Amino acid sequence: MTLSGSHSSLALLARTPRSHSSLALLVVTTWRLIVLMSDSGRTPGRIMVFLIFLSALVSNSFGLDPVVTAVDSIAPDISRLFLNIALICVFFSFIYFFSAQLASREVFFRTWLQTVVGLSTAGAMSACWIASPVGIPTFGKIPLHDPGLTPVYLFYTLGGFYFGYACVLVVVLATRAARQANATQPWAFLTCAIGVGLAFLGGPLLRVTSILLQWASAGAIEVPLIIKTVGQATLNLGIVGYIAGLCAIGGRTLVIQLRMNADRRRRYRALQPLWSSLVEAFPSIQFRSAGSIPERLGLRRLQISYRYSRRLIECRDSLWRLSPYVADPPDSYSDPLAIRNQALLVYEALPRVGNTATRDLAEPVAIAASQDGDDRHLVDLAAEFARLDQKRALVRQFEEASEIK
């Protein structure tokens, strides 16, 4: 299995038409780009996932007939060179993704070394393409008995070696990630390791061995068809296992993110009554658009994490501004700091804001101040405020109904 031969597999869409693969990868890559644009935190992990799909999309595109025809018009078989360089980027992303799962990375797995290995492989394959007298034909069309095509043999051998190197590293890194004490899904990482191990046996190991045997014997020794068939089946099984492990890792991350967003939406709605009353009293607390491209597109504002954080800040700012109008708690309050009592003080202070005759009653204080980033105190205050506001509304409705009668 060379870099070119494993192209559709590495695009994670094996056995599908290449055009369908490119379309699916385009959709996923666009989605990951929107995530980067819309989220306030562009973490290295999200950027790396985006680069994985982007490099897979680019490599898959170099296998499309219209793209191959257009690119090869520049130079013979240069599309095959570009395709393999793009796949080196995919393999580099895989290595870095699993390396980033470790708490502490050894020097051998650091980015700079993997960059050197990847660039060296890409440079050597480029040199083979330049030195080849016939370009880089597909593997099945190479006359292995022709000694003048040594650059072509080296091209495919280098590709197979790098793919095997990447597989070994991914197996090691995934296994170490599964053995960490804080690993939440060790079985998923082990599934990835087993899948990549099977792909290594059925892919680069078998292909490089086949190339070297046929090359050294001038075509006299050829790997039996049954071994090639078993190797292809092993490769496909390994790809399925690898994809299953990645899906499990991504699925758990998605579930955690969905739960966090659901909790943020619940708290966001709980802050609504308090926030509405505070905005009415202090209209200037609302943030204005920063004017950045994500802001103008409205992408960041669609994120519940962004909207919730914004509402928290606006509520805390307005409560600070409201604090001078809050009266001292009466002696009847056994616990002046209780959430229920604070909500009542805030409720009674809001009408004083619009009264110009009202003088400040106290120095500003932090109402419902958070501790170590914990916002539950403010959410509980908002919930008590909503219950109090609803109760007062029912009382007013009852009084109005009594006056009508």
Side-chain angles (χ1 to χ4, degrees):
M1 183 71 175
T2 62
L3 290 174
S4 298
S6 64
H7 175 238
S8 59
S9 301
L10 291 172
L12 306 182
L13 293 166
R15 295 180 175 271
T16 61
R18 199 179 297 273
S19 58
H20 295 171
S21 302
S22 295
L23 179 60
L25 285 169
L26 177 61
V27 172
V28 176
T29 304
T30 304
W31 167 56
R32 296 308 306 178
L33 177 61
I34 292 175
V35 170
L36 290 181
M37 293 179 62
S38 61
D39 201 354
S40 57
R42 295 176 180 84
T43 61
R46 288 177 181 152
I47 295 176
M48 182 51 60
V49 171
F50 167 73
L51 293 178
I52 289 176
F53 285 111
L54 178 62
S55 55
L57 172 63
V58 173
S59 63
N60 201 75
S61 299
F62 282 119
L64 297 173
D65 292 337
V67 177
V68 171
T69 303
V71 175
D72 285 347
S73 63
I74 303 174
D77 295 329
I78 194 173
S79 63
R80 203 174 308 280
L81 174 64
F82 288 163
L83 182 151
N84 284 275
I85 292 176
L87 285 174
I88 289 175
C89 296
V90 178
F91 298 142
F92 171 82
S93 301
F94 287 159
I95 294 171
Y96 187 80
F97 174 79
F98 285 96
S99 175
Q101 308 303 317
L102 302 177
S104 60
R105 293 177 291 165
E106 295 80 356
V107 176
F108 185 68
F109 299 133
R110 290 191 182 276
T111 306
W112 67 267
L113 181 58
Q114 301 311 317
T115 302
V116 170
V117 175
L119 290 177
S120 299
T121 304
M125 297 181 74
S126 299
C128 292
W129 173 79
I130 295 173
S132 174
V134 295
I136 304 296
T138 58
F139 178 76
K141 297 181 180 179
I142 301 175
L144 294 175
H145 59 278
D146 189 345
L149 298 183
T150 299
V152 180
Y153 309 146
L154 288 176
F155 181 89
Y156 283 100
T157 303
L158 286 170
F161 270 119
Y162 184 80
F163 180 38
Y165 166 79
C167 287
V168 171
L169 280 188
V170 170
V171 170
V172 173
L173 293 171
T175 303
R176 292 187 178 182
R179 292 178 177 177
Q180 291 187 116
N182 59 346
T184 57
Q185 290 177 290
W187 61 271
F189 288 101
L190 289 177
T191 301
C192 287
I194 294 173
V196 174
L198 292 175
F200 169 75
L201 296 176
L205 181 61
L206 181 60
R207 179 55 64 88
V208 171
T209 302
S210 175
I211 293 174
L212 295 179
L213 285 176
Q214 296 184 55
W215 186 13
S217 63
I221 302 177
E222 187 173 351
V223 177
L225 179 60
I226 182 63
I227 296 180
K228 293 182 179 179
T229 303
V230 173
Q232 185 64 38
T234 304
L235 174 64
N236 293 337
L237 180 61
I239 292 172
V240 172
Y242 177 70
I243 295 175
L246 284 181
C247 290
I249 297 172
R252 178 176 177 81
T253 303
L254 179 60
V255 169
I256 293 174
Q257 185 66 34
L258 290 175
R259 288 177 178 175
M260 291 176 60
N261 288 340
D263 183 64
R264 290 191 183 106
R265 289 190 182 92
R266 180 185 63 80
R267 298 189 179 196
Y268 181 82
R269 290 191 294 267
L271 290 174
Q272 177 65 36
L274 176 62
W275 178 82
S276 300
S277 299
L278 293 172
V279 167
E280 184 178 356
F282 304 101
S284 61
I285 66 170
Q286 297 187 73
F287 284 106
R288 295 181 179 180
S289 175
S292 61
I293 292 179
E295 284 284 357
R296 291 175 181 177
L297 293 176
L299 295 175
R300 287 184 61 189
R301 287 176 289 179
L302 295 177
Q303 296 293 314
I304 185 60
S305 58
Y306 175 81
R307 291 186 286 127
Y308 177 60
S309 299
R310 175 173 171 169
R311 178 158 291 186
L312 279 175
I313 296 173
E314 291 173 344
C315 286
R316 287 169 179 161
D317 180 42
S318 57
L319 286 174
W320 176 267
R321 298 188 186 188
L322 179 68
S323 63
Y325 300 94
V326 176
D328 293 332
D331 296 336
S332 59
Y333 287 4
S334 58
D335 185 3
L337 297 181
I339 296 296
R340 184 184 184 91
N341 295 335
Q342 285 195 35
L344 183 58
L345 292 174
V346 169
Y347 186 85
E348 293 175 345
L350 283 171
R352 302 191 184 103
V353 176
N355 187 356
T356 57
T358 303
R359 300 174 62 97
D360 293 354
L361 301 178
E363 294 294 328
V365 295
I367 303 174
S370 62
Q371 297 180 355
D372 298 328
D374 189 1
D375 52 22
R376 287 178 295 180
H377 195 69
L378 180 57
V379 175
D380 292 341
L381 175 66
E384 289 292 339
F385 181 89
R387 282 191 286 267
L388 183 61
D389 189 40
Q390 184 179 14
K391 182 178 179 180
R392 294 293 176 89
L394 293 175
V395 171
R396 285 195 299 269
Q397 291 178 4
F398 178 77
E399 292 176 350
E400 292 176 358
S402 300
E403 291 177 358
I404 294 175
K405 291 181 180 180

